Amino acid sequence: MIEVRTLGSVVVTLDGEAPPRELMWRKNLALLLYLARSPDLRRTREHLVGVFWGDKPDASARHSLNEALRVIRKSVGDDVITSAGDQVVLSKGAVRLDVDELAPLLDEERWVEASALIRGPFMEGFAVPDSWAFEDWLAAERRTWLDRMTGGLRQHGEERLSSGDGLAARDAAARALELDPFS
């Protein structure tokens, strides 16, 4: 299992150990994370080529995608990513993201548990500068998670304040302001 902490600096483990270096190359990791956040864990090859290699000629871009998929399969196993026709599919349960744990906690208003997972902005400091479409997606994801996390911390603070725990309320508010000073 690949576990990825995306809140704050990105941290990846593979079966509890450090991942192979090739998996940590920016585009390989970005591709894996993008698939993990994609609807139904799948995207078309054409879509992925456009997101990650849109500035390259088509044949070169497709080769780059195939090479990235080869490296990921070599690093984590052939069954993690499959190709079916023009679809690239990430196996369900192959990648565990902290945001996938955080989302239901926020939805269920389980503020204490949710606040424990909030460590910083989504994929803080991570970038793939030559992939503008990925960078646009990443900026949108960061904004979405920033809004959700600061909202959860505010709710947690208000809940703590109404129960008379001013110290915990102040801590939650400080963490929300640390994430987003304009919150």
Side-chain angles (χ1 to χ4, degrees), residues 52 102 167:
F52 291 99
L102 178 61
L167 194 57

Side-chain angles (χ1 to χ4, degrees), residues 31-107:
L31 175 60
L32 184 65
L33 294 174
Y34 187 77
L35 283 169
R37 295 290 304 144
S38 293
D40 298 324
L41 305 174
R42 67 177 56 231
R43 292 290 182 169
T44 65
R45 286 178 169 279
E46 190 71 27
H47 178 83
L48 294 172
V49 162
V51 169
F52 291 99
W53 297 279
D55 61 334
K56 285 187 168 186
D58 192 51
S60 178
R62 289 188 176 284
H63 174 75
S64 294
L65 173 61
N66 289 336
E67 183 61 18
L69 293 173
R70 184 194 66 75
V71 168
I72 293 170
R73 287 179 181 126
K74 179 183 170 207
S75 298
V76 299
D78 288 336
D79 58 335
V80 170
I81 293 183
T82 57
S83 297
D86 73 333
Q87 297 283 309
V88 176
V89 182
L90 183 65
S91 298
K92 187 174 175 115
V95 177
R96 194 169 105 193
L97 304 175
D98 55 356
V99 291
D100 292 336
E101 293 176 46
L102 178 61
L105 296 174
L106 292 171
D107 293 343

